[in-house]
Every structure is written in structure tokens, then in C-alpha cells.
């Protein structure tokens, strides 16, 4: 089955237009089926301040089959594997419907960060800690956010500012820097395509 | 039962919650099941004699054999659809389009196209994004235009080819699912009693029901789906229920004691009672196929 590239293109344009949602999606290697999404950590949670990168792979059956998504950054969360970034979320499995989009899926991930479901865990260790030692869970999640999902670690403010000065969007500058592992020139090359 | 859901999830090796297979593993299994079904049957099969259906039960439950024998008085042939959970929607739209084609019914085609177009605004109002359904809607309208152009063998073949195409066929099924969902949510007061008490946690709402059981591809259709879609598109449908039950069908009053499959007509409010169905479907528990009535 040929993938519905038209639909994916429309979705990407819509995400770009809707800056209010906070989530972004960028092409990886110029393929419409391999994308990287970015989800800001929700306020008043241990994930606040983090920018979470999500690997998105679209099968040929998309949008009739769900997008494959996993966190690229390490995340300490009951419904995310602390090893692989695999995500336990119903809409990424049997509850997916073609009425949903990449944007709604990423927003659902953001909602999942806000409201963990420890009764339906992906990572049993984290889930156990979430229930039995909530304070330690919060501290660990916060520490992991700062250590692994800190937009400034690979994208420090001065580097972002330089790229933004050249006329690029701030979110695009951050993600390009992150993808380039903090290498400003490589990030610029990516942006210039 | 024709189901796309694996009955049991396979165990997965790994250090994490051991009873939880990864998304990848689940998807892989689903894809495998789909691929196996695709090998066995097309989305829409060829027209077959009812004898082929009877043969399935010859060595099994004789109630089926009796009922099919009785069906042969009214029906000529049937056409199988793939048991992928979308069989109702796929069978319904295929039979409808085929009927338009065979009857060269231009007036009905125009009525249908304007109803379909009227759903654009309703879907947007219902919170569905245009980018999600606009291509699918166009594809459905194109099929209608196509079948009203000519009613020859070639046109018939072309419809079959299109409805066997992954993209065209699934897009149209998706569009019908969204219209059904939207209809159910627009008439919440009417449909809520259907789902009342279906689940407690979280409490059943029509919105949740639609998200779980109408919009996802492969979710099987029930009475509620049929009521909603026939009403939304104003297409009367007859469903013949073929099961193993041994009680003679009530109200038929035909041959004394002869077993007969019961049927139910779904007649939209806008059609006068007794309007002849445009689509006949055969229901066997968990699955719908298409039936062809004898003419006259």
C-alpha cells in the first residue's frame, strides 16, 4: 500500500501554522515517513522545562495504522520505558483512528506526561516507585528531565540566539542544534538544507 | 468471529513489565494478521451462488442449511467481504455503488452526492479536521461519478478494482466511519440509550464510544452504527440475520415450522415506511456479506 504522502504534507503544514500548540515536527533525512517531533514538558510537572524529542516512523498504511512513536530522550515516567523510550498509550495502538493526526498524538503524549497511568505501566520499576515512593519518583523524573531533555544542554541560549539572528525560527533553531548535538555549523547546514 | 485484534498477546522478552508487549510487537502481529487475511480474501470478493454458502454448513449445523435454503427463494447470489472489522461499511458502500451502477440511477446518485457534500460542514462543526477527511470525501464522490457514467461490464470491473485497492477502499471506509461518528454525536440524546452502561470506568459517553468503537478502523459495526450511517446518508438497508438459532422466525408465517433467517430493515426517517432497501446484507455473527435479491 502506498503511503498517503498528501495527508502527511497537509499535517506538517498545519502543525507549522499552529504555533500555539507548542509541539513541532521536523523532517529527518528529507523523508516524509521518518520524522522527529518535539513536545515541551507540561507546566507544574517534573517534566517542566524539558523539550522531549520523539522519533516518529510512519508505515505505509498511515493514517489507517497508528504512527510509531518513541521518546529519543531518556524519560522517567511509568508509561515510558526508561530503557528504550517505548510508550504505552492506547491511541498509539488499538485506539488509533485516522481522525487523529501527528499533532493530536504529540499533544496526547504531552497529556500523558501530565497524567501518568501507573496502573497500565510500560516500565514496572518506575510505576512501582510512582505508587510507593512518589517523592523519589518526582525527584528522579525532574533530574532526568534536566539531564536528558534540557534544550539548553545541546542548544545553549547564545547558540540559539545566533541562529535566530540569521532569520530562523526559534523552535527550528533548537531542534536543529539538538539534532546536530550542539554543533552550531552542522545545525546551520541542516537548516539551510 | 472476524476480528483484527489478536485474541492473546504474545509474551515479549525484556526487563520491563513482562505482561506488556511493545507497541512494535502488537503492530507487527496486527500487520501479520492483516497480511494473512489479505491472502485468503479480497476486501470485496466475487459474486457467488448461495449454494457455496450452504456448502459451508452441509456437515455442520443444519439450522443454517435450512435457513439458507429458505433464503434462496428470495436471493440469487452473495458476495463475500473481508473479515477485517470493516466488512459492514465496505459491504454497504460497495453494494450501494453497484446498485447505482446497475440501475443507472442518476437522480439517486445526485441526491447522494449532495448529502455527502453536506457532511463537509457538519464534520468540521463536529470537530473533525478538514485535512483528515477532504481527500476521502473526494474519492467517494469520484466513485459515484464513475459509476453513473456507464453501466457496462467494464464499469463494474472498475468498481471492483477500486474497492479492492487499499487506499481507495480504506479512505472510503474511513469517511463513512467519521460520518457515522459525527451523526451519533449530533444526535446524542437519541443514541445515548444504546450505549448506556457499556462501561463504567470511565463512564460511557457517546463521544468516548465513537472514539473507541466507531472511528478506529477495524472496529466491528453493530446495530447503532447501521442506524447512524443509514440515517446520515439516507440509504435504506436490509440486514438478514443468519445464525444457528432453532426457533422459526416470528411474523413470517410462511411454511409452518420452517426455519427462516430473520431480517431487519433500517429505514431512514426521511423515507416513507416500507421503502424498498437499496442494500441487502447478510449477517452471520461477527461478519457482514452482500446479498443480491432476485429481481421481480
Amino acid at each position: 500500500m502506498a503511503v498517503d504522502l498528501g495527508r502527511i504534507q497537509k499535517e506538517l503544514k498545519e502543525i507549522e501554522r499552529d504555533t500555539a500548540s507548542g509541539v513541532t515536527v521536523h523532517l529527518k533525512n528529507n523523508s516524509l515517513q521518518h520524522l522527529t517531533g518535539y513536545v515541551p514538558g507540561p507546566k507544574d510537572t517534573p517534566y517542566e522545562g524539558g523539550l522531549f524529542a520523539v522519533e516518529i516512523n510512519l508505515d505505509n498504511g498511515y493514517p489507517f495504522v497508528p504512527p510509531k512513536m518513541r521518546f529519543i530522550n531518556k524519560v522517567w515516567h511509568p508509561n515510558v520505558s526508561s530503557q528504550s523510550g517505548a510508550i504505552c498509550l492506547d491511541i498509539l495502538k488499538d485506539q488509533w483512528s485516522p481522525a487523529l493526526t501527528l499533532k493530536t498524538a504529540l499533544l496526547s503524549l504531552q497529556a500523558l506526561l501530565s497524567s501518568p497511568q501507573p496502573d497500565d505501566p510500560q516500565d514496572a520499576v518506575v510505576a512501582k516507585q510512582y505508587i510507593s515512593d512518589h517523592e523519589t519518583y518526582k525527584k528522579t523524573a525532574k533530574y532526568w528531565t534536566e539531564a536528558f531533555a534540557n534544550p539548553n544542554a545541546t542548544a545553549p541560549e547564545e547558540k540559539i540566539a545566533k541562529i535566530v539572528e540569521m532569520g530562523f525560527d526559534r523552535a527550528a533553531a533548537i531542534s536543529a542544534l539538538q539534532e546536530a548535538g550542539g554543533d552550531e555549523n552542522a545545525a546551520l547546514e541542516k537548516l539551510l538544507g | 468471529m472476524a476480528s483484527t485484534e489478536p485474541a492473546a498477546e504474545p509474551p515479549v522478552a525484556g526487563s520491563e513489565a513482562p505482561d506488556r508487549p511493545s507497541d512494535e510487537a502488537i503492530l507487527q502481529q496486527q500487520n501479520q494478521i492483516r497480511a494473512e487475511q489479505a491472502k485468503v480474501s479480497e476486501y470485496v470478493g466475487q459474486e457467488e451462488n448461495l449454494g457455496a454458502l450452504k456448502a459451508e454448513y452441509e456437515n455442520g449445523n443444519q439450522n443454517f442449511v435450512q435457513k439458507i435454503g429458505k433464503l434462496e427463494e428470495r436471493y440469487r447470489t452473495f458476495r463475500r467481504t473481508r473479515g477485517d472489522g470493516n466488512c459492514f461499511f465496505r459491504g454497504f458502500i460497495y453494494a450501494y455503488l453497484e446498485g447505482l451502477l446497475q440501475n443507472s440511477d442518476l437522480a439517486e446518485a445526485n441526491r447522494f452526492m449532495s448529502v455527502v457534500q453536506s457532511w463537509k460542514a457538519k464534520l468540521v462543526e463536529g470537530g473533525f479536521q478538514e485535512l483528515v477527511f477532504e481527500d476521502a470525501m473526494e474519492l467517494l464522490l469520484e466513485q459515484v461519478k464513475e459509476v453513473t457514467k456507464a453501466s457496462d461490464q467494464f464499469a463494474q470491473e472498475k468498481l471492483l478494482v477500486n474497492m479492492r485497492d487499499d487506499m481507495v477502499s480504506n479512505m472510503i471506509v474511513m469517511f463513512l466511519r467519521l460520518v457515522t461518528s459525527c451523526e451519533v454525536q449530533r444526535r446524542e440524546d437519541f443514541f445515548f440509550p444504546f450505549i448506556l452502561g457499556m462501561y463504567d470506568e470511565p463512564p460511557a459517553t457517546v463521544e468516548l464510544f465513537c472514539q473507541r468503537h466507531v472511528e478506529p478502523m477495524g472496529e466491528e459495526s453493530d446495530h447503532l452504527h447501521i442506524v447512524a450511517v443509514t440515517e446520515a446518508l439516507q440509504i435504506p438497508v436490509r440486514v438478514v440475520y443468519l445464525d444457528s438459532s432453532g426457533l422459526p422466525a416470528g411474523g413470517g408465517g410462511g411454511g409452518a415450522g420452517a426455519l427462516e433467517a430473520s431480517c431487519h430493515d433500517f429505514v431512514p426517517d426521511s423515507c416513507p415506511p416500507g421503502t424498498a432497501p437499496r442494500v441487502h446484507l447478510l449477517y452471520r455473527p461477527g461478519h457482514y456479506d452482500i446479498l443480491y435479491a432476485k429481481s421481480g
Side-chain angles (χ1 to χ4, degrees):
Chain A
M1 170 164 189
V3 68
D4 187 357
L5 292 176
R7 154 98 183 228
I8 302 171
Q9 277 164 338
K10 282 182 193 172
E11 285 198 35
L12 293 179
K13 265 188 215 145
E14 201 265 336
I15 293 173
E16 211 169 301
R17 224 179 307 133
D18 178 15
T19 48
S21 74
V23 301
T24 56
V25 175
H26 303 274
L27 298 190
K28 213 165 93 185
N29 310 326
N30 274 328
S31 156
L32 281 172
Q33 287 180 259
H34 304 285
L35 310 161
T36 310
Y38 289 92
V39 178
K43 278 211 165 60
D44 302 321
T45 71
Y47 309 102
E48 183 173 356
L51 185 64
F52 295 87
V54 179
E55 180 183 89
I56 306 172
N57 288 313
L58 303 177
D59 280 352
N60 285 346
Y62 182 82
F64 305 117
V65 297
K68 289 181 178 163
M69 292 192 172
R70 75 172 186 92
F71 281 108
I72 300 169
N73 319 106
K74 282 165 97 60
V75 182
W76 191 255
H77 185 288
N79 308 101
V80 180
S81 162
S82 56
Q83 312 274 323
S84 67
I87 303 160
C88 172
L89 183 63
D90 55 359
I91 62 144
L92 293 179
K93 287 180 245 165
D94 56 328
Q95 291 302 307
W96 170 258
S97 100
L100 303 172
T101 61
L102 296 177
K103 185 174 90 178
T104 50
L106 289 172
L107 291 173
S108 299
L109 290 186
Q110 199 177 33
L112 184 69
L113 290 177
S114 297
S115 343
Q117 310 289 326
D119 298 335
D120 189 16
Q122 175 77 34
D123 194 304
V125 176
V126 185
K128 200 171 158 217
Q129 190 186 64
Y130 181 91
I131 295 165
S132 60
D133 187 1
H134 198 74
E135 276 311 305
T136 310
Y137 151 77
K138 279 209 293 207
K139 268 188 216 152
T140 317
K142 195 167 188 315
Y143 174 76
W144 278 41
T145 301
E146 281 161 8
F148 303 120
N150 181 355
N152 297 323
T154 49
E157 207 45 60
E158 64 270 27
K159 286 187 186 175
I160 300 172
K162 266 189 203 165
I163 297 177
V164 170
E165 252 169 51
M166 296 179 71
F168 292 100
D169 176 58
R170 185 180 159 84
I174 293 173
S175 58
L177 275 166
Q178 285 187 321
E179 278 173 46
D183 183 331
E184 195 181 312
N185 290 327
L188 267 175
E189 267 173 43
K190 266 182 203 291
L191 286 167
L192 291 166
Chain B
M1 171 163 130
S3 170
T4 48
E5 289 306 310
E9 292 172 345
V12 72
S15 57
E16 2 190 297
D19 52 347
R20 153 98 35 221
S22 67
D23 287 359
E24 302 260 312
I26 292 172
L27 280 169
Q28 205 181 349
Q29 190 180 16
Q30 279 179 345
N31 289 341
Q32 198 187 333
I33 291 169
R34 283 203 188 97
E36 278 165 17
Q37 276 169 340
K39 262 187 266 165
V40 178
S41 67
E42 298 275 7
Y43 285 135
V44 188
Q46 295 290 351
E47 218 174 318
E48 296 175 65
N49 286 321
L50 285 177
L53 185 65
K54 213 200 265 180
E56 284 181 29
Y57 299 100
E58 219 85 88
N59 298 319
N61 191 315
Q62 291 305 303
N63 289 355
F64 278 103
V65 179
Q66 265 193 52
K67 288 181 184 179
I68 297 166
K70 192 86 181 137
L71 266 187
E72 282 176 318
E73 293 172 11
R74 284 180 291 141
Y75 290 100
R76 174 166 53 90
T77 48
F78 79 114
R79 190 190 290 274
R80 295 176 205 270
T81 63
R82 187 185 296 172
D84 62 356
N86 297 316
C87 51
F88 165 73
F89 286 108
R90 211 178 317 263
F92 162 74
I93 198 64
Y94 182 86
Y96 176 72
L97 291 170
E98 193 182 30
L100 285 184
L101 190 153
Q102 286 171 345
N103 302 323
S104 306
D105 196 340
L106 211 58
E108 169 64 12
N110 287 331
R111 181 202 67 80
F112 180 66
M113 285 200 282
S114 66
V115 170
V116 168
Q117 275 155 341
S118 77
W119 274 98
K120 184 175 178 171
K122 293 184 207 169
L123 285 167
V124 170
E125 199 184 287
F128 294 95
Q129 279 187 282
E130 229 172 304
L131 69 89
V132 160
F133 66 82
E134 57 192 359
D135 292 351
M137 189 174 118
E138 275 313 308
L139 268 174
L140 176 57
L141 292 171
E142 264 172 45
Q143 299 311 307
V144 181
K145 283 178 201 149
E146 198 75 43
V147 297
T148 48
K149 265 194 252 166
S151 64
D152 53 11
Q153 188 62 34
F154 179 74
Q156 180 110 17
E157 283 295 320
K158 190 157 184 203
L159 176 63
L160 192 59
V161 168
N162 285 345
M163 290 306 293
R164 285 177 174 180
D165 178 83
D166 279 323
M167 180 61 81
V168 177
S169 202
N170 287 333
M171 286 282 247
I172 291 175
V173 168
M174 173 192 89
F175 181 74
L176 296 176
R177 286 183 175 280
L178 300 188
V179 165
T180 306
S181 166
C182 195
E183 170 79 14
V184 171
Q185 296 184 66
R186 286 169 72 86
R187 295 169 61 213
E188 189 176 349
D189 291 348
F190 176 76
F191 285 106
F192 183 68
F194 284 80
I195 60 156
L196 190 64
M198 266 190 68
Y199 21 75
D200 310 327
E201 194 54 49
T205 61
V206 291
E207 191 189 2
L208 192 64
F209 177 85
C210 287
Q211 283 168 5
R212 287 188 179 181
H213 299 291
V214 183
E215 292 166 21
M217 298 294 281
E219 279 292 321
E220 288 176 26
S221 296
D222 221 326
H223 204 84
L224 176 145
H225 302 72
I226 307 179
V227 171
V229 79
T230 51
E231 198 61 54
L233 302 175
Q234 294 158 46
I235 298 173
V237 171
R238 172 169 296 169
V239 178
V240 176
Y241 293 88
L242 182 61
D243 58 24
S244 62
S245 67
L247 293 171
L259 289 181
E260 192 171 351
S262 55
C263 39
H264 186 89
D265 283 350
F266 295 83
V267 182
D269 288 344
S270 63
C271 299
T275 301
R278 287 189 175 274
V279 169
H280 296 254
L281 296 172
L282 175 69
Y283 178 80
R284 285 177 285 167
H287 187 65
Y288 296 87
D289 291 308
I290 302 166
L291 274 175
Y292 295 93
K294 285 185 173 165
S295 46

